[in-house]
């Protein structure tokens, strides 16, 4: 059945509200029985003639229906097109009871109630609850849930649902069955409902809130993963403390529960009090997880916990407001990760996602605003625009208001809307109340798609000691809108002198200190006067990437080199190096396309050499500063795109840098060696990142030239001596991507060690899928039939198929179309396997 388009402008409130929802769910693999009692009342916000009560339901077998305890006559309701309609409900409050049967074992979409490794699990966002029972399955219907789960004690000793456990025991008349009843005192929409049942072990801890309440913390996993939950538990406690200190938000239930499952479409789901996680974002040991995994676990644990207030206690009125909870919560988890580790490096990583991936989304046929105006399938809007660009919109608000006013705005938002389903406009109104600002024009970020382009022109007046700035903004047409109104954006700015020091200056209508100011651009063109500028300055604008825009600023090689060495803003120091490298790469791409050899500019070589010699900067920052621009970001600068040229020039630059800087790279690599057991700390993770960046350069072969044996041996030695997965993976990747024969030997060794661990095998698949050496597509096709791969498991699909399409773009985009053909075949197999939701992985890869 084709889906109709849903429009934001057509929103109307629900005709009926559900004050209480009582569920009794008796588990069975093929015929689970769900009894639902809904306490309904007419919505006072809906006046006029009486309307029918409309309940959503899919893949349900209706066995009984009662109104106020009496069976409902067939003519009093209708069931068609997945809608159960009660024709004439009473005007006074009433109860509606239904009994349905569902088949969890047949649910391969992993949406609703399904089985994973023999355990029952649910996923209800966005519209999965309608596959469990008939219900007004929309986020603005918030209800207090009481859920009784019944299962066989032998196969389901653990029975969980949302809220607090209020009763449990044996069912005397039912042999071998037991039950658990859970009550959630806080109203929530149906998409936050969860049930978990199965043979699981529990790892427990506790947390004492700032008001002195003791909260039980429980992580449920399969027995084989019992020893891998320590980092996730500590991350949870860190998140709870941070949210109290930064935003004044205390946890509200008696316990907080996490389940880790291998079969899960997304990263995790913030179901109230019972989060369901992809096991990738819970399980970690030094020998099985990398530093990136450890940081990812900490970030996703935090993200789902922070949803308790920004998403659960206050939720979105409709799915057009998705960024209200997701953009805000991404901002919060970004700030948490920045406080836990390196703030500059976290900002650089986040901007790389925006520029390399989200900007491409803005420029493509599926471009949409942060708050879309329409959709046919809501699952298609779980995008980088809604999440990551949405977080950038929140960050701009934080910059415009300042920390104190932003926190005041958050407090107002919580006070006004606790227990409500609200809109992005409600959030902005809270920020206006806190700051006194009129943010009407700022809200264009929610309604206009596309990436704004900012052009900067400057003129220095030495006599007046003034710098004249002219700023222009524009935004390209997108499928939904041709002409765009100007955006309001904060622009952080500083000035550097000839010696690299920050210059003092003043500017009317700006905010900030003597050497760093915030200009607010709100018109298509604006002029600013910077006064008290003692010498011809080098401009450092868009510091900390203060707005998600493309910057057009003409700076010389000397100016970029100065900023790369001295800019006091870490992000702009990194970005100056990226611009210097980008200019060189684009020049050499043009040469390569004309059949000429690739030349490495001396300026870039000297800049990289200076970074290697820097003993003051943190290791994590140097690791990202030494990394060349991504292929995605380079490709956006070329029209038409030439994936082969982008790959060839970037790879040759890496090889030339590795060759010409071999001595300082080896020196730094050896100096960063460490004895002793693995520790995950920001400093240690930074040391490993820089050391492995040096190794990657050393093991980068020139085009059509094999790597020398001594360098291969360096990588092989690190792999065999590594006492942690971070160093082992870095060495394995470097060798496998440099030499097919040596790499295959290590890959076979790795498979022999880890074939029993599904998450580690995902890494093994991705290393091979992303290999730049010839013949990788044939290897990917072989791996599709390997025992460790399964088309029905989202993690495997992401590791192998998305790994090839997104991380190996020159082979995916090969001129013969073989990469596209492979993706098309797998998408069809996905569809035939009825794995629709995590088909979003393939759709997003195809969009790239």
């Amino acid at each position: 059945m084709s889906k109709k388009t849903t429009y934001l402008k057509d929103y109307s409130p629900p005709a009926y509200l559900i004050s209480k929802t009582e569920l009794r769910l008796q588990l069975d693999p093929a015929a689970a029985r769900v009894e639902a009692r809904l306490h309904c009342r007419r919505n006072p916000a809906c006046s006029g003639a009486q309307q029918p009560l409309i309940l959503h339901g899919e893949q349900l077998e209706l066995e009984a229906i009662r109104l106020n305890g009496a069976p409902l006559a067939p003519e009093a309701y209708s069931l068609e097109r997945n809608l159960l309609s009660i024709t004439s409900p009473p005007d006074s409050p009433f109860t509606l009871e239904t009994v349905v049967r569902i088949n969890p074992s047949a649910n391969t979409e992993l949406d609703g109630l399904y089985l994973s490794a023999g355990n029952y699990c649910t996923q209800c966002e966005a519209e999965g609850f309608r596959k469990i029972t008939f219900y007004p399955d929309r986020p603005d219907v918030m209800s207090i849930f009481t859920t009784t789960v019944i299962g066989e004690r032998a196969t389901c000793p653990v029975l969980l649902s949302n809220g607090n456990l209020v009763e449990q025991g044996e069912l005397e008349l039912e042999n071998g069955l037991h039950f658990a009843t859970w009550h959630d005192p806080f109203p929530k929409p149906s998409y936050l409902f969860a049930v978990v049942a199965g043979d699981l072990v529990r790892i427990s801890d506790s947390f004492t809130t700032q008001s002195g309440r003791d909260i039980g913390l429980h992580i449920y996993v399969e027995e084989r993963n019992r020893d891998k939950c320590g980092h996730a538990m500590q991350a949870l406690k860190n998140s709870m403390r941070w949210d109290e200190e930064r935003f004044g938000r205390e946890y509200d239930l008696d316990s907080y529960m996490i389940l880790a499952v291998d079969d899960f479409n997304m990263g995790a789901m913030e179901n109230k009090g019972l989060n369901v996680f992809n096991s990738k974002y819970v399980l970690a040991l030094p020998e099985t997880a990398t530093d990136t995994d450890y940081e990812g676990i900490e970030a996703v644990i935090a993200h789902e916990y922070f949803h308790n207030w920004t998403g659960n206690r206050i939720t979105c009125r409709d799915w057009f407001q998705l960024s209200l909870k997701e953009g805000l919560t991404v901002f919060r988890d970004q700030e948490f990760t920045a406080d836990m580790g390196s703030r500059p490096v976290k900002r650089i990583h986040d901007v790389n996602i925006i520029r390399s991936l989200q900007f491409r989304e803005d420029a493509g046929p599926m471009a949409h605003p942060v708050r879309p105006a329409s959709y046919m399938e809501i699952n298609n809007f779980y995008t980088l625009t809604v999440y990551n660009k949405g977080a950038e919109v929140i960050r701009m608000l934080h910059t415009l208001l300042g920390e104190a006013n932003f926190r005041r705005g958050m407090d107002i938002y919580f006070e006004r809307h606790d227990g409500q389903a609200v809109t992005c406009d409600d959030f902005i109104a809270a920020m206006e109340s806190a700051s006194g600002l009129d943010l009407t024009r700022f809200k264009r970020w929610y309604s206009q798609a596309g990436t704004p382009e900012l052009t900067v022109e400057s003129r220095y007046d030495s006599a007046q000691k003034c710098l004249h700035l002219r700023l222009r903004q524009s935004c390209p047409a997108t499928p939904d809108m041709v002409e765009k109104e100007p955006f309001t954006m904060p622009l952080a700015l500083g000035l550097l002198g000839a010696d690299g020091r920050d210059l003092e200056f003043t500017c009317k209508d700006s905010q900030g200190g003597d050497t760093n100011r915030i200009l607010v651009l709100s018109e298509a063109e604006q002029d600013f006067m910077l006064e008290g500028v003692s010498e011809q300055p080098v401009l450092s604008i868009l510091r900390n990437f203060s707005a998600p825009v493309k910057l057009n600023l003409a700076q010389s090689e000397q100016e970029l080199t100065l900023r790369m060495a001295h800019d006091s803003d870490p992000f702009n120091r990194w970005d100056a190096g990226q611009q210097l490298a980008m200019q060189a790469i684009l020049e050499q791409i043009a040469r390569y396309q004309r059949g000429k050899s690739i030349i490495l500019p001396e300026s870039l070589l000297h800049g990289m050499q200076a970074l290697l010699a820097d003993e003051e900067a943190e290791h994590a920052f140097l690791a990202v500063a030494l990394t060349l621009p991504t292929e995605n970001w380079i490709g956006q600068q070329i029209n038409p795109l030439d994936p082969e040229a982008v790959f060839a020039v970037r790879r040759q630059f890496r090889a030339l840098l590795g060759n010409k800087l071999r001595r300082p790279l080896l020196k730094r690599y050896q100096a960063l060696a460490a004895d002793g057991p693995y520790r995950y700390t920001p400093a240690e993770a930074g040391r490993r990142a820089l050391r492995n960046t040096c190794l990657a350069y050393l093991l980068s072969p020139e085009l059509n030239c094999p790597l020398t044996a001594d360098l291969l041996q360096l990588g092989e030695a690190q792999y065999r001596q590594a006492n942690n997965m971070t160093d082992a993976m870095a060495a394995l990747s470097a060798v496998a991507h440099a030499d097919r024969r040596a790499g295959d030997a290590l890959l076979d060794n790795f498979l022999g060690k880890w074939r029993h661990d599904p998450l580690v095998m995902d890494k093994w698949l991705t290393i091979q899928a992303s290999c730049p050496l010839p013949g990788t597509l044939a290897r990917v096709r072989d791996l599709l039939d390997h025992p460790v791969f399964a088309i029905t498991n989202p993690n495997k699909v992401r590791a192998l198929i998305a790994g090839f399409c997104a991380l190996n773009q020159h082979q995916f985009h090969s001129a013969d179309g073989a990469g596209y053909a492979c993706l098309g075949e797998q998408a069809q197999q996905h569809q035939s396997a009825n794995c629709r939701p995590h088909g979003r992985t393939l759709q997003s890869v195809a969009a790239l």
Side-chain angles (χ1 to χ4, degrees), residues 2-49:
S2 61
K3 293 200 172 187
K4 68 176 184 178
T5 300
T6 303
Y7 295 93
L8 171 60
K9 63 182 177 61
D10 293 338
Y11 171 81
S12 61
Y16 295 86
L17 302 177
I18 313 297
S19 58
K20 292 192 299 181
T21 299
E22 300 171 63
L23 298 175
R24 180 181 174 91
L25 200 162
Q26 185 162 339
L27 299 170
D28 182 275
R33 189 172 191 267
V34 183
E35 301 175 30
R37 179 184 290 112
L38 312 183
H39 296 256
C40 311
R41 59 185 174 88
R42 292 192 68 180
N43 187 349
C46 296
S47 58

Side-chain angles (χ1 to χ4, degrees), residues 134 211 332 511 616 623 726 818:
F134 288 103
S211 67
R332 276 156 47 78
Q511 55 186 335
E616 301 298 324
T726 303

Side-chain angles (χ1 to χ4, degrees), residues 515-542:
T515 61
N516 193 72
R517 307 291 297 177
I518 304 296
L519 310 182
V520 180
L521 177 65
S522 57
E523 304 294 341
E525 181 177 309
Q526 277 179 254
D527 291 333
F528 294 88
M529 180 77 74
L530 278 55
E531 299 177 308
V533 183
S534 60
E535 62 178 277
Q536 174 76 51
V538 173
L539 184 60
S540 173
I541 195 169
L542 205 63

Side-chain angles (χ1 to χ4, degrees), residues 613-635:
D614 191 333
E615 297 291 344
E616 301 298 324
E618 61 177 342
H619 292 153
F621 174 80
L622 291 175
V624 295
L626 284 164
T627 302
L628 294 172
T630 66
E631 290 184 40
N632 269 324
W633 185 227
I634 298 168

Side-chain angles (χ1 to χ4, degrees), residues 434-452:
S435 64
L437 296 175
D438 182 352
L439 297 171
T440 302
R441 299 179 73 177
F442 180 83
K443 290 195 291 186
R444 292 171 185 167
W445 285 101
Y446 285 102
S447 59
Q448 296 185 157
T451 302

Side-chain angles (χ1 to χ4, degrees), residues 285-357:
L285 286 174
E287 57 268 28
T288 63
T290 64
D291 290 336
T292 300
D293 294 327
Y294 272 79
E295 181 178 319
I297 288 168
E298 187 171 60
V300 177
I301 290 280
H303 181 94
E304 305 310 325
Y305 175 75
F306 298 154
H307 265 314
N308 187 59
W309 279 94
T310 51
N312 295 5
R313 290 283 290 261
I314 305 175
T315 194
C316 47
R317 184 196 72 179
D318 52 71
W319 291 119
F320 298 102
Q321 320 294 330
L322 180 59
S323 194
L324 173 70
K325 72 184 186 77
E326 295 301 347
L328 177 56
T329 305
V330 169
F331 169 77
R332 276 156 47 78
D333 81 56
Q334 289 174 348
E335 285 294 287
F336 168 76
T337 300
D339 285 345
M340 294 297 105
S342 167
R343 180 166 287 273
V345 171
K346 174 58 178 169
R347 188 66 186 134
I348 289 166
H349 284 164
D350 293 337
V351 173
N352 254 332
I353 292 172
I354 288 289
R355 296 206 304 202
S356 294
L357 301 174

Side-chain angles (χ1 to χ4, degrees), residues 76-152:
Y77 69 94
S78 65
L79 177 56
E80 56 183 17
R81 295 184 179 181
N82 296 324
L83 295 176
L84 175 62
S85 299
I86 312 302
T87 309
S88 300
D91 287 333
S92 59
F94 61 93
T95 61
L96 180 72
E97 299 171 79
T98 59
V99 179
V100 301
R101 293 277 184 179
I102 56 178
N103 186 351
S105 63
N107 184 357
T108 58
E109 294 183 353
L110 312 186
D111 206 17
L113 178 66
Y114 65 93
L115 284 167
S116 173
N119 298 310
Y120 293 90
C121 182
T122 56
Q123 170 57 32
C124 293
E125 188 178 352
E127 297 175 339
F129 190 73
R130 63 189 63 187
K131 297 179 181 178
I132 296 174
T133 191
F134 288 103
Y135 204 80
D137 193 12
R138 46 187 289 173
D140 56 353
V141 175
M142 302 179 72
S143 179
I144 294 175
F145 278 69
T146 301
T147 304
T148 297
V149 188
I150 301 168
E152 294 181 357

Side-chain angles (χ1 to χ4, degrees), residues 610-619 622 626 663-673 690-691 694:
L611 287 171
L612 276 172
D614 191 333
E615 297 291 344
E616 301 298 324
E618 61 177 342
H619 292 153
L622 291 175
L626 284 164
R663 183 171 296 178
L665 283 166
L666 273 171
K667 180 181 178 181
R668 199 74 196 253
Y669 174 80
Q670 292 163 350
L672 290 167
L690 180 55
R691 187 168 191 260
C694 293

